[in-house]
Amino acid sequence: MFRTIILSFATFFATIGPVDLAAIFAALTPYHAAGERRLLAFRAVSIASGILLFFAFGGMTLLGWLGISLAALRISGGILLLVLAISMVFGKDGGDRRSSEKETLEAMQKKDIAVFPLAMPLIAGPASTGAAVLLMAGAKGHPLEQAAVIVGMMAVLGLTLLLFMAASGVQRVLGVTGLHVISRMAGLLLAALAVQFMLDGISESGVL
C-alpha cells in the first residue's frame, strides 16, 4: 500500500506539476488581493479534485460505454504521458498543462479564473485525468490499493493548494532555474512510468 501511495504521488506530481502551476498562478493573479487569491486557489483545487475523483471512480465505466479496452487505455495513456514527459525534460510547453497566449490573456482579464484555466486544463488536464483512470484500473478489486491511489492524488492536490497560497514566494525562492530543474526531474520519472504503462498495455492486449 505504501508503494502505491508513493507511485500515485509521483505520477500526479509529474502530471499536475504543482511547482510549475504555482508560477503560472502567480502570473495569472498579479492584480488580485491576497484574500481573492486564496479563494481562487481553494476553488480551483476543489473543482479539479472533483473532476479527478470523477475520472478515478467513473473512468472505467465511461470507457466500457465507449467500448475502449483497458489495454488500449494503457497504451494511449502511456503515449500521452511520454509526450508530456519529453516536453518537460527538454523544457518545452506540454499541451496538457499550458494554455495559449490568447487564453491566458482572457483569463487575466476575468475576475474568476478558478474553473478556466486553473481547474481545467491546468490542474485536471488530459494527463492527470488519464493517470487517475489508469492507476485506479491497476488497483481494481483491491480497496486498500485504490485508497492508496486516492491518498497519493489528494496529497498532490493539497500540495498544489499550499503552493498556490504561497505562489509569489515560491517563484522568488526557486527562480527560473529551480523551476526548470524540478520540472526536468519529474519529466524523467514520468517518462519511465509512461513506458511501463505502454509495456503493460501491449502485454495485456495479447499482441506479443
Side-chain angles (χ1 to χ4, degrees):
M1 183 175 176
F2 181 73
R3 177 181 174 277
T4 303
I5 293 175
I6 297 300
L7 174 62
S8 175
F9 182 89
T11 303
F12 285 110
F13 185 88
T15 54
I16 294 175
V19 180
D20 286 345
L21 292 189
I24 296 174
F25 181 78
L28 289 174
T29 56
Y31 305 113
H32 290 71
E36 290 179 321
R37 293 177 75 164
R38 286 193 293 270
L39 181 60
L40 279 174
F42 182 78
R43 290 189 64 234
V45 174
S46 297
I47 293 169
S49 298
I51 295 170
L52 290 174
L53 286 171
F54 169 78
F55 276 96
F57 289 104
M60 288 305 298
T61 301
L62 180 61
L63 290 175
W65 289 343
L66 296 175
I68 300 173
S69 69
L70 181 57
L73 177 66
R74 290 189 191 279
I75 296 171
S76 60
I79 293 171
L80 176 62
L81 293 178
L82 183 60
V83 171
L84 174 61
I86 292 172
S87 70
M88 291 169 68
V89 171
F90 289 98
K92 299 178 181 178
D93 289 343
D96 171 60
R97 298 201 304 268
R98 303 293 184 261
S99 52
S100 68
E101 184 178 341
K102 183 178 179 181
E103 290 170 337
T104 301
L105 179 61
E106 179 185 0
M108 292 179 70
Q109 293 172 343
K110 292 182 177 180
K111 188 174 182 180
D112 187 0
I113 57 174
V115 177
F116 173 83
L118 290 177
M120 290 184 69
L122 293 179
I123 303 175
S128 56
T129 53
V133 177
L134 286 171
L135 290 172
M136 287 295 281
K140 188 176 182 180
H142 301 84
L144 290 179
E145 294 292 310
Q146 290 182 324
V149 170
I150 299 301
V151 168
M153 181 179 75
M154 297 309 294
V156 174
L157 289 168
L159 177 61
T160 302
L161 178 60
L162 291 176
L163 291 176
F164 275 9
M165 298 289 191
S168 298
V170 170
Q171 195 173 24
R172 283 196 302 269
V173 170
L174 293 178
V176 175
T177 301
L179 291 172
H180 286 172
V181 169
I182 292 176
S183 179
R184 282 162 172 75
M185 290 176 61
L188 286 172
L189 293 174
L190 184 60
L193 183 65
V195 172
Q196 187 61 58
F197 276 147
M198 287 188 283
L199 291 175
D200 290 344
I202 292 172
S203 175
E204 187 174 337
S205 69
V207 172
L208 297 178

